[in-house]
């Protein structure tokens, strides 16, 4: 009986996080010029844990790195600066790294709401991947 439970728990589909699978998608689907937006800010810690997957993406909302800020999320640019970063002609595709269910609603603070609003105004959604603990949405101009 315990073997059955252990076998089920060890199945990757039942892991609480599937970061390796998420980084596999990014490795397979990303381009060298792609940018990333983290929702909420502390999800940026994934880039530290899995630098080979997330590290190649240009972080367009980061003002101060997590190392310099001495935290996992770093310090992000102001909400008005997010729109400026997305207007950069070099930014044609953006990955949104979000929670297990794309998080929208009144609990979003102005910074994170600005990320969503700016992305959805300037870009169209071309891909979506869901994992147990996070989702990836790919946007393109």
């Amino acid at each position: 009986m315990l073997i059955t439970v252990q076998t089920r728990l060890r199945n990757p589909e039942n892991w609480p996080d599937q970061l390796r699978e998420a980084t596999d998608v990014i490795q397979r689907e990303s381009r060298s010029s792609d940018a990333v937006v983290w929702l909420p800010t502390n999800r940026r810690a994934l880039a530290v844990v899995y630098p080979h997957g997330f590290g190649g993406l240009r972080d367009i909302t980061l003002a101060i790195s997590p190392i310099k800020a001495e935290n996992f999320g770093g310090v992000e640019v102001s909400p008005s600066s997010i729109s400026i970063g997305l207007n950069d002609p070099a930014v044609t595709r953006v990955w949104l790294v979000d929670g297990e269910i794309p998080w929208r609603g009144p609990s979003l603070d102005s910074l994170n709401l600005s990320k969503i609003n700016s992305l959805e105004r300037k870009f169209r959604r071309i891909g979506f991947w869901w994992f147990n603990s996070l989702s990836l949405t790919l946007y393109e101009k």
Side-chain angles (χ1 to χ4, degrees), residues 17 19 23 43-54 72:
D17 60 20
L19 298 178
T23 58
R43 286 224 177 261
R44 185 174 281 111
L46 297 177
V48 175
V49 177
Y50 280 88
H52 67 281
F54 296 102
F72 287 117

Side-chain angles (χ1 to χ4, degrees), residues 56-74:
L57 301 173
R58 181 175 156 208
D59 193 337
I60 59 172
T61 60
L62 184 64
I64 300 172
S65 74
I67 292 171
K68 287 184 180 177
E70 298 179 350
N71 63 34
F72 287 117

Side-chain angles (χ1 to χ4, degrees), residues 31-107:
R31 298 177 186 165
S32 60
S33 60
D34 285 359
V36 65
V37 171
W38 304 93
L39 186 71
T41 303
N42 65 4
R43 286 224 177 261
R44 185 174 281 111
L46 297 177
V48 175
V49 177
Y50 280 88
H52 67 281
F54 296 102
L57 301 173
R58 181 175 156 208
D59 193 337
I60 59 172
T61 60
L62 184 64
I64 300 172
S65 74
I67 292 171
K68 287 184 180 177
E70 298 179 350
N71 63 34
F72 287 117
V75 175
E76 293 197 322
V77 298
S78 69
S80 60
S81 296
I82 290 170
S83 187
I84 293 168
L86 291 171
N87 281 332
D88 181 339
V91 178
T92 59
R93 292 178 12 133
V94 178
W95 291 87
L96 175 65
V97 182
D98 203 343
E100 59 273 5
I101 299 171
W103 188 19
R104 312 292 182 268
S107 61

